[in-house]
Amino acid sequence: MLTYIRLVTRRTVEFSCAIVIVGLLAGVAGAATTLFLHAIEHLAYRYSFGTLLDGVAGSNHVRRALGPMVGGALAGCGWWLLRRRSEVPALSATIAAHRPIPRLPMAIDAVLQVLLVGSGASLGREGAPRQLAAVWGDVGTSRLALTGRDREILLCCAAGAGLGAVYSVPLAGALFATRILLGTWHPRALGTALITSSLAVAVAAPVTHLKHPLVWPNFQLSYLFVFLAVALAPLAVAIGLTFDRLMTTAKGTALAKSWLLIPAIGAAGLLTGVCPIWLPQLPGNGRSVLEVSMNSELTLGTAAAILLLKPLLTALFLRAGAVGGLLTPALATGAAAGSLVTIALNQWAGIDLHVAAVSLSCAAGVLAVTQRSPLFAALFVWALARPPLWLLVVFAAGAYTAYGITVLRRKHQQPRACGCQGTTEAT
């Protein structure tokens, strides 16, 4: 009995130490990827201050075109050399299967992701800090006596904390770990996620300065936006399902290990660099699109062009064999759709809707569909901009309605698919 108590106590102490180690290392990973990303952005577009949108808008046409192309070719060369020698499996699948993490290949893959996104590729930046945080967390806790389940919880929480660190959103990072990666509300997992994500955000604060990626305009809003968010849910479902299917198809036909990775990703970068000659909001992970949506700086034509081009460019990079996050490209696509509808109604119906609130409501709905977690979608969108607290209810209404429609659609299609299958077998 005494031996058992000592064993339980030792495991509890070591798990507690592991939580602190993972949180600290995830914060370092978030800070490191943020610094590297900013360095690549400043080098690619040759600017010193401001956001990526400022850098792209202030650069000449040649630099806009060549920056993403050169960055894409370099990243493609790196992936070609890396994939010839080792496999880089998906992080979530590796953790769920309790397989050893290939530390060096996954860390190199994360660096290449930052290089590509920093040069202007239409991919999310959140994949790199998640991978790097998991790799460093795995190294930092390798000598501790952890069970397989404890290791799974810690590595998923490390990934969520890395996400929380780069965007200064600790609650969203914790929800990403528990609801999307682990799929649980277990108190042990939830508590670990909250602690690690909070520690990571605090450690990365000297680099991120706890600044939120978006600045909410100070406008008076009506509580009737709740009903508008629900009314926009079908649009968010259509955009989210189309985005999801497009990305899945692009990944399924992606170049893997061929040397054609180099010219393919370089060509995708060149196309991405040509578009900003007219649309400087397109390069990068989607923050620029969210910025102009928040500030009501989009025209009807610009919103329509971004709605079409942003997911296509993202899919093009995936088809070429690149790797990157999809959170912010999905958000940007949803925001463009919401802005398009709002601008059209304001111009043609003579009403005065708040573009920022509607665009973010639609963005939350799209993210709920693509990530299959409405609570994470609503909280993540709210935490990015920090609007009035009651707007969290608006975003949640849009996200849960869109997700509910998606679930009902799948349930409706499942019996039909089973019936078709049975007919085919009988024939």
Side-chain angles (χ1 to χ4, degrees), residues 53 214-217 219 281 286-298 303 306 331-340 343 354-360 363:
L53 180 59
L214 304 174
V215 179
W216 179 258
F219 291 127
Q281 304 91 351
R287 174 181 172 178
S288 300
V289 177
L290 293 170
E291 283 182 12
V292 293
S293 297
M294 292 272 293
N295 297 325
S296 304
E297 296 176 1
L298 288 177
I306 291 174
L331 279 178
T333 304
S339 296
L340 178 64
I343 295 169
H354 191 282
V355 178
V358 178
S359 64
L360 288 187

Side-chain angles (χ1 to χ4, degrees), residues 15-30 91-92 94-96 101 126-138 141 146 148-166 169-201 376:
F15 185 75
S16 301
C17 293
I19 292 175
V20 176
I21 292 171
V22 164
L24 296 177
L25 291 177
V28 175
L91 177 63
S92 57
T94 302
I95 296 174
I101 290 181
E126 71 278 353
R130 293 203 312 254
Q131 286 185 200
L132 203 59
V135 168
W136 288 356
D138 187 43
T141 59
L146 301 172
R149 179 57 176 171
D150 286 347
R151 178 179 177 275
E152 181 182 4
I153 291 174
L154 287 168
L155 293 183
C156 287
C157 290
L163 169 68
V166 294
V169 288
L171 289 179
L175 277 177
F176 183 86
T178 53
R179 297 303 304 147
I180 295 179
L181 296 181
L182 290 169
T184 182
W185 282 114
H186 194 280
R188 183 181 179 86
L190 185 59
T192 301
L194 289 171
I195 295 172
T196 53
S197 193
S198 300
L199 281 174
V201 170
F376 166 76

Side-chain angles (χ1 to χ4, degrees), residues 6 23 46 103 106-107 131 172 183 202 213 216 245 272 312 318 358 370 416:
R6 287 177 179 174
R46 201 176 180 180
R103 296 169 182 172
M106 199 163 282
Q131 286 185 200
W216 179 258
R245 183 173 301 174
T272 303
L312 287 179
L318 296 179
V358 178
T370 59
R416 182 183 304 175

Side-chain angles (χ1 to χ4, degrees), residues 144-303:
L144 299 178
L146 301 172
T147 64
R149 179 57 176 171
D150 286 347
R151 178 179 177 275
E152 181 182 4
I153 291 174
L154 287 168
L155 293 183
C156 287
C157 290
L163 169 68
V166 294
Y167 292 117
S168 296
V169 288
L171 289 179
L175 277 177
F176 183 86
T178 53
R179 297 303 304 147
I180 295 179
L181 296 181
L182 290 169
T184 182
W185 282 114
H186 194 280
R188 183 181 179 86
L190 185 59
T192 301
L194 289 171
I195 295 172
T196 53
S197 193
S198 300
L199 281 174
V201 170
V203 170
V207 173
T208 62
H209 306 292
L210 296 179
K211 290 182 178 178
H212 300 287
L214 304 174
V215 179
W216 179 258
N218 188 17
F219 291 127
Q220 295 295 324
L221 295 172
S222 169
Y223 290 94
L224 295 177
F225 269 103
V226 175
F227 301 100
L228 184 59
V230 173
L232 281 175
L235 173 65
V237 171
I239 298 295
L241 291 176
T242 303
F243 184 91
D244 218 4
R245 183 173 301 174
L246 183 62
M247 300 308 135
T248 302
T249 303
K251 287 180 181 179
T253 57
L255 298 171
K257 301 178 181 179
S258 170
W259 64 270
L260 292 174
L261 278 169
I262 303 172
I265 300 178
L270 178 61
L271 183 59
T272 303
V274 170
C275 291
I277 295 176
W278 301 276
L279 296 169
Q281 304 91 351
L282 281 176
N285 63 345
R287 174 181 172 178
S288 300
V289 177
L290 293 170
E291 283 182 12
V292 293
S293 297
M294 292 272 293
N295 297 325
S296 304
E297 296 176 1
L298 288 177
T299 64
L300 193 63
T302 303

